Amino acid sequence: MENPDLVIRRARLTDQKKLQDIAIRNGKIARIADSLSAVPEKEIDAHGRLAIPPFVDPHVHLDAVLTVGSPRYNLSGTLIEGIQIWGEKKADLNAQDVKKRAVEAIKWEVVQGTQHIRTHADVCDPGLTALNALLEVKDEVKDYADLQIVAFPQDGILRFPGGADLLEKALAAGADVVGGIPHHERTREDGLESLDIVFKLAQKYNKDIDVHTDETDDDHSRFAEHLAAKTLKEGFEGRVAASHTTAMHSYNNPYAFKVIGLLKEAGISVITNPLDNIALQGRFDTYPKRRGLTRVKELLEAGVNVGIGHDSIMDPWYPLGKGSMLEAAFMCLNVTHMTGYEEMRQIFKALTFNSAHILRLEGYGLEEGNPANLVILNANSEINALRQGAEALYVLRAGMVIAKTEPAKRFFLDQEVKLEVPGIYE
Ligand code: FE2
C-alpha cells in the first residue's frame, strides 16, 4: 500500500470484534485492518470509539426550518394548524431567508454526523421560491453535504388550479424526486388521481417518488395500499418511498398485514418521522392516546426497508429539534417498543444503510475503495450512541475533517464522571 494521507487508529466498526485502523489516501478508504504499520502524515486516535458511515436524513423540510413562531406559534399543536401557519409564512417567503435558514440547519446536521439529506421543497407557489433557493443551497453545500430535493406539493396537487403544472415545472427546474400528499387532497378520489399525476411525471422525467402517505390518524386513509399497487403496475419497484404512513397505527391488524405485504412486494421503503409524529398525531384523541407512528417493528420484520427522518427542525409543525439523527432514532425506538438488544441495533442501522438505500447512494459504507466519508462517534457501540446521543467527535468527508465536537466533561466534586459502564453494550 502506498503511504496513506491519514490513518484513523483504533476505531470500532459495527461488524468487527477487534479495533481497526482505517487508512485514507486521495480521499478514499485505502485499507482497513486491525493494525497498520503505515506511517502517515496525519493520525487520529479513535480510542475505541465507533467509526460509521455518515448518517442519512431521508426526510426533512429545509424550506421551513427555523421558522418557529413566525408569523405565529402553533397553539393547537395540530398538523393542520401547522399547514395554515406555513401558508401564512409562504405568502412572503424570500429566497435569501430560505437559503440562510437551510444552510444553518444543514450545518447543524453535518456537525452531528449527517452528510446525505433528502429535503422536501414546497412547490405550490408560482415563483417556486423554496425550490429555487434550495437548488442554490444544494450547490453551495456540496463540499460537506449531498442534497436531494423532492418537489413537494404541500397544499395538494388538485386543491388549487395549476397544481400539476407547478409540480411539473419544479421537475423541469431540477428537482430530483417527485412528491405528493394524497391524504390532503379534498377527496379520496382526488387523492388517487394525484398519485396518477405523480407517476406520470416520474415516468416523463425519469425520477424517483417520495410521497407523504397517510399522515393522519384516520384509519380510512389508505393510500399506502394504492401506492404499492401502482408501483407494481408501473414497474417502479425500488424507486418509491412512502413517508410517514402513520394511519397504519390504526388500521385493523389483518388490513395492516395486507398493506405491509404489498409494500414489501413493491419494494417500497417507508420513512418514519418520530419527532414530528409523536407530537402531531393523536391530537383528536382523549385517552388512551395513540402513539402516532407507523408500524416500524412489523415493517422491519416483514423485510420492508425503513428509514428514519428528522422532518422538522423548529418549524410550524414541530417547535423543537436540533438536527440530531440520534435524537430522532431515540424517540423511534422508545415509541415503537424496539428496546430489545438487536432491535436497538436495527434502529441504528436505519439511520445509515437503510436510509442510504432510499436515497440510492453509491459508494456508501466503510469499505476499501469507497469515498472516505465517515464519522467517529463518542461511544463504543451503536446502543451507547443511541442512549447517550453521542457527539460526532470527527466528521470526515473525502478524507478531510470537516467538523468536530469537543465533548463536555462532567465532574462530581473534583472527579470526572463518565456516563458509561465499561463492558455493557460494547
Ligand atoms: Fe414531512
Side-chain angles (χ1 to χ4, degrees):
M1 183 181 61
E2 286 182 75
N3 222 25
D5 306 316
L6 167 72
V7 171
I8 297 167
R9 302 276 183 208
R10 301 195 295 151
R12 191 176 297 279
L13 304 191
T14 52
D15 57 351
Q16 301 272 357
K17 276 249 177 288
K18 272 189 171 176
L19 299 183
Q20 301 287 305
D21 290 353
I22 304 168
I24 293 164
R25 195 178 148 74
N26 293 336
K28 295 197 165 172
I29 297 173
R31 187 86 200 281
I32 300 175
D34 59 20
S35 185
L36 288 172
S37 56
V39 186
E41 266 179 46
K42 281 184 266 176
E43 289 196 5
I44 291 174
D45 192 341
H47 296 287
R49 294 348 230 173
L50 204 58
I52 59 161
F55 294 131
V56 180
D57 183 356
H59 189 121
V60 65
H61 295 257
L62 287 174
D63 49 359
V65 291
L66 312 182
T67 60
V68 66
S70 169
R72 60 189 172 91
Y73 290 96
N74 183 339
L75 298 181
S76 69
T78 57
L79 201 152
I80 292 300
E81 188 176 347
I83 293 177
Q84 286 161 355
I85 296 170
W86 176 240
E88 294 162 28
K89 178 79 190 167
K90 260 198 303 198
D92 63 355
L93 204 65
N94 86 61
Q96 281 315 311
D97 176 50
V98 174
K99 282 177 67 177
K100 197 164 161 243
R101 289 184 286 98
V103 169
E104 182 69 19
I106 290 167
K107 286 181 182 166
W108 289 10
E109 290 209 316
V110 170
V111 86
Q112 294 173 91
T114 299
Q115 285 183 34
H116 309 282
I117 298 169
R118 177 181 277 184
T119 178
H120 293 256
D122 188 343
V123 294
C124 293
D125 66 304
L128 298 179
T129 309
L131 175 73
N132 289 325
L134 290 176
L135 282 168
E136 286 182 31
V137 168
K138 178 179 174 173
D139 190 52
E140 276 174 34
V141 304
K142 65 176 186 299
D143 289 339
Y144 50 92
D146 305 313
L147 226 57
Q148 281 184 9
I149 304 175
V150 185
F152 173 50
Q154 172 72 75
D155 300 333
I157 298 171
L158 297 166
R159 266 190 179 237
F160 66 102
D165 293 340
L166 277 177
L167 188 57
E168 174 154 12
K169 216 172 129 193
L171 295 167
D176 303 290
V177 180
V178 192
I181 186 164
H183 57 276
H184 188 57
E185 302 288 354
R186 284 204 182 89
T187 61
R188 182 184 153 275
E189 289 70 21
D190 280 0
L192 298 177
E193 194 183 328
S194 77
L195 287 178
D196 290 345
I197 294 168
V198 166
F199 275 85
K200 219 171 266 168
L201 290 174
Q203 272 154 345
K204 183 169 174 187
Y205 289 87
N206 190 24
K207 303 287 186 191
D208 288 359
I209 292 170
D210 189 335
V211 173
H212 280 62
T213 309
D214 305 316
E215 190 185 8
T216 165
D217 296 327
D218 176 10
D219 63 328
H220 291 285
S221 185
R222 297 182 165 193
F223 292 104
E225 170 190 76
H226 186 72
L227 188 68
K230 187 93 183 145
T231 298
L232 288 163
K233 219 176 280 173
E234 305 296 339
F236 256 68
E237 293 95 325
R239 300 188 61 184
V240 178
S243 285
H244 297 288
T245 66
T246 57
M248 200 189 293
H249 64 52
S250 288
Y251 291 164
N252 63 65
N253 288 340
Y255 181 66
F257 177 79
K258 176 196 165 190
V259 172
I260 289 170
L262 280 173
L263 292 170
K264 167 73 181 153
E265 188 186 350
I268 291 182
S269 292
V270 168
I271 300 170
T272 185
N273 296 291
L275 296 171
D276 278 62
N277 287 134
I278 191 65
L280 290 170
Q281 308 310 132
R283 291 278 178 166
F284 292 97
D285 293 356
T286 53
Y287 286 93
K289 287 179 190 286
R290 286 168 286 184
R291 293 185 175 208
L293 262 62
T294 192
R295 301 193 185 201
V296 176
K297 191 189 282 208
E298 291 76 8
L299 285 160
L300 286 168
E301 270 169 11
V304 176
N305 184 56
V306 179
I308 298 172
H310 202 297
D311 203 5
S312 293
I313 304 173
M314 303 179 74
D315 70 12
W317 293 275
Y318 186 65
L320 303 170
K322 58 185 184 194
S324 163
M325 296 313 297
L326 285 171
E327 187 170 79
F330 184 80
M331 182 66 80
C332 186
L333 72 88
N334 281 285
V335 175
T336 60
H337 283 165
M338 291 192 64
T339 48
Y341 179 81
E342 284 303 337
E343 289 171 342
M344 291 191 280
R345 298 182 70 206
Q346 261 185 306
I347 288 291
F348 189 91
K349 190 167 156 259
L351 296 179
T352 52
F353 289 96
N354 293 14
S355 292
H357 178 79
I358 296 170
L359 270 64
R360 298 212 273 152
L361 299 179
E362 287 173 7
Y364 181 85
L366 301 191
E367 279 175 37
E368 294 173 2
N370 279 349
N373 301 335
L374 61 99
V375 178
I376 300 172
L377 289 176
N378 188 22
N380 59 358
S381 70
E382 297 111 300
I383 295 173
N384 270 329
L386 288 164
R387 186 179 64 82
Q388 295 173 300
E391 301 95 338
L393 299 175
Y394 294 94
V395 180
L396 281 87
R397 176 123 164 143
M400 306 285 286
V401 176
I402 57 164
K404 54 185 181 179
T405 298
E406 291 176 9
K409 287 186 174 180
R410 302 173 181 88
F411 295 89
F412 178 75
L413 299 180
D414 61 349
Q415 277 199 332
E416 191 179 343
V417 178
K418 296 203 170 161
L419 304 180
E420 206 174 277
V421 183
I424 296 180
Y425 291 142
E426 256 175 24

